[in-house]
Amino acid sequence: MNSKYAKDILKLIDKSPTAYHVIENIKGILDAADFTGLKESEIWKIEEGGQYYVTRNDSSIIAFTIPKADYKGFKIVASHSDSPCPKLKENPEMRKNGYVRLNVEKYGGMLLAPWFDRPLSVAGRILVRDGKEIRSILVNLDKDVAIIPSLAIHMNREANKGYSYSFQKDMLPIVCTSGEDKTIISLIADEAGVEEDSIIGKDLFMYIRDKGVIWGVGDEFVGSSRLDDQECVWTSLSGFTESENAEYVKMLCVFDNEEVGSRTKQGADSDFLENLISRINDNLGRSREEYYTAYANSFMISADNAHALHPAHTDKYDPVQSPKMNEGIVLKFSARQSYTTDAISSAYVRRICEDDNIPYQIFVNHSDEPGGSTLGNLSNSHVSVNTADIGLAQLAMHSAFETAGIKDIEAMRKFIKAFYKEV
């Protein structure tokens, strides 16, 4: 089993505590591969044979390559950059009872218990006044600065029988005693190399400091925060940069805000992808009729992780089709269309897997459990092309620390490469 690629993925996740860091690190990889950065606010000059990327809000990105000849359509892979975590409110420091705690709120559907009693840090972006200009600066304290302490068992004897958390009461991290002069915002300012009073905007999040690991008797598992969905982000990026296609525009989309519904200007339910496809068409001098034919010949993969069978809770899963870690990529179905896969798109994915010897398995919800959703159907409301939802099987989705199979990482990378090469 090849662990090198898994170790590379874990290093990228460790370097990417927030969506802003995900996008910055993707840009670094694309820049090294000679991609050209474009801005939505400027006039584009796209050429055949060129490779480009565009960001929005510094937390979403779309990269694409143009064939040297007329293209038939678009091959799109979409994933998301965000993960559930505590987000700092405005004026976050609360001084009371001898402590300074951070006033935070839930971002996304968090599993709360795993966040207790482990070292936390803060990362995100700040907006700084620079004369009449406003600059955005990426920040990461990269230091153990906070802990959310549990209440001792002696004071809650029933804790192990279940506990209903109040986020406002129970989930506020301690950062220091009230006698400490230093504040979390002053630390952020020092890290950014700016004066504290120059900060006029911020998007800051908590993250756990535990590094990603390969674990198990046979080193068959990976454990890390933010596997959902950075595991798909980095495997998709690898497949994107390592593949070629002379007949289709290759596109890689990484959207923000999937964990809170995608209905933002940088989410999958925005006009970001739709506008970009239209601009590519117009820049290359193609007619509106050619735009529609290319659209009809396009295909999207929505890549977001899937639930692996939990050995202690098999009653929560479909009795027949319950994915397991290290048994291949997961093709996801839902009658209520929370996943976009249908007979047409599933046949396309199965054909690729069978032709390239890529293991795959099926996920469907237990009929009494509605399950979650992802970005595919939301993106489809703007870019209506055949789409399949796939992912990698993992345990503890939306926990502070998640687990997946090491073999599946290579299976996903191989599938994405095969998808982009498919004609």
Side-chain angles (χ1 to χ4, degrees):
M1 155 183 335
N2 183 4
S3 64
K4 180 185 181 303
Y5 188 62
K7 290 177 180 176
D8 291 342
I9 292 283
L10 292 177
K11 287 178 182 177
L12 286 166
I13 294 174
D14 287 340
K15 289 170 55 181
S16 306
T18 72
Y20 308 106
H21 294 81
V22 171
I23 302 310
E24 186 67 17
N25 289 324
I26 290 174
K27 286 168 56 180
I29 292 170
L30 293 175
D31 287 340
D34 295 324
F35 278 70
T36 299
L38 303 172
K39 294 183 178 180
E40 287 191 279
S41 59
E42 296 177 351
I43 302 297
W44 294 357
K45 292 183 179 179
I46 295 174
E47 299 177 351
E48 292 181 349
Q51 45 189 25
Y52 308 91
Y53 66 81
V54 190
T55 65
R56 183 179 281 192
N57 191 53
D58 296 328
S59 60
S60 293
I61 191 168
I62 299 177
F64 57 98
T65 64
I66 308 296
K68 292 183 179 179
D70 284 346
Y71 57 85
K72 293 180 179 179
F74 300 87
K75 289 292 189 75
I76 308 164
V77 177
S79 55
H80 65 88
S81 57
D82 59 323
S83 299
C85 63
K87 185 177 191 293
L88 274 65
K89 296 181 181 178
E90 290 295 308
N91 304 317
E93 290 165 349
M94 300 172 60
R95 294 177 179 266
K96 190 175 181 181
N97 299 322
Y99 295 102
V100 178
R101 294 198 296 168
L102 296 180
N103 194 10
V104 295
E105 58 186 319
K106 281 190 290 186
Y107 177 88
M110 299 170 58
L111 270 175
L112 301 185
W115 285 86
F116 284 86
D117 306 316
R118 62 201 313 164
L120 306 175
S121 194
V122 177
R125 68 174 176 183
I126 57 173
L127 281 297
V128 175
R129 181 188 293 276
D130 187 1
K132 291 187 177 181
E133 300 294 322
I134 297 176
R135 290 190 293 126
S136 178
I137 301 176
L138 205 62
V139 292
N140 178 12
L141 289 184
D142 198 20
K143 174 185 177 182
D144 301 332
V145 294
I147 277 186
I148 305 170
S150 295
L151 181 64
I153 190 70
H154 314 78
M155 300 175 185
N156 182 9
R157 298 285 184 180
E158 303 299 307
N160 291 328
K161 296 181 180 179
Y163 183 77
S164 179
Y165 297 105
S166 161
F167 204 91
Q168 188 68 65
K169 178 181 179 181
D170 296 313
M171 298 295 296
L172 306 190
I174 293 174
V175 292
C176 63
T177 61
S178 57
E180 175 64 50
D181 291 333
K182 207 75 172 173
T183 67
I184 201 75
I185 302 303
S186 65
L187 282 182
I188 292 287
D190 290 346
E191 168 67 19
V194 300
E195 297 297 324
E196 185 175 350
D197 60 6
S198 71
I199 299 174
I200 56 175
K202 52 191 175 293
D203 290 301
L204 299 173
F205 301 83
M206 309 297 301
Y207 71 94
I208 68 166
R209 294 274 290 151
D210 308 59
K211 300 294 184 183
V213 296
I214 294 173
W215 66 275
V217 173
D219 291 338
E220 61 184 305
F221 303 113
V222 291
S224 178
S225 57
R226 306 183 296 281
L227 286 178
D228 173 26
D229 189 33
Q230 288 194 44
E231 197 175 20
C232 288
V233 168
W234 302 116
T235 50
S236 296
L237 177 62
S238 177
F240 174 75
T241 56
E242 293 175 10
S243 63
E244 294 183 359
N245 194 309
E247 298 185 38
Y248 286 82
V249 175
K250 294 192 313 171
M251 305 188 77
L252 177 80
C253 308
V254 182
F255 295 112
D256 193 8
N257 303 132
E258 190 276 342
E259 299 295 0
V260 291
S262 295
R263 294 177 177 87
T264 60
K265 66 182 183 298
Q266 60 273 356
D269 196 16
S270 71
D271 61 3
F272 190 17
L273 176 58
E274 181 182 19
N275 286 356
L276 198 147
I277 289 175
S278 183
R279 290 183 76 166
I280 291 172
N281 181 83
D282 295 347
N283 258 261
L284 294 173
R286 292 164 65 101
S287 70
R288 209 62 188 166
E289 191 71 10
E290 289 174 305
Y291 169 79
Y292 290 124
T293 57
Y295 212 85
N297 285 323
S298 299
F299 198 99
M300 178 187 289
I301 295 293
S302 169
D304 197 358
N305 272 4
H307 299 292
L309 181 67
H310 193 301
H313 299 279
T314 56
D315 58 311
K316 294 289 187 181
Y317 296 77
D318 181 78
V320 178
Q321 298 169 110
S322 300
K324 300 174 182 65
M325 292 179 289
N326 288 317
E327 294 193 10
I329 67 170
V330 179
L331 183 58
K332 302 188 285 186
F333 293 82
S334 172
R336 68 189 184 99
Q337 292 300 294
S338 53
Y339 305 126
T340 58
T341 314
D342 59 15
I344 293 172
S345 61
S346 67
Y348 185 79
V349 169
R350 284 181 164 111
R351 185 186 72 184
I352 293 174
C353 289
E354 291 168 6
D355 288 350
D356 288 80
N357 297 313
I358 300 167
Y360 71 94
Q361 48 192 328
I362 303 300
F363 175 83
V364 292
N365 288 304
H366 187 288
S367 298
D368 296 327
E369 299 284 346
S373 62
T374 185
L375 56 86
N377 53 352
L378 295 171
S379 181
N380 258 204
S381 66
H382 300 271
V383 178
S384 304
V385 299
N386 283 323
T387 303
D389 270 288
I390 69 169
L392 298 176
Q394 70 164 88
L395 291 172
M397 187 175 289
H398 289 196
S399 174
F401 201 84
E402 302 165 325
T403 288
I406 194 170
K407 291 181 181 178
D408 297 332
I409 292 176
E410 185 58 35
M412 177 67 100
R413 180 190 184 194
K414 187 177 179 181
F415 173 80
I416 297 298
K417 287 177 67 175
F419 167 73
Y420 278 127
K421 290 178 181 177
E422 175 75 17
V423 295

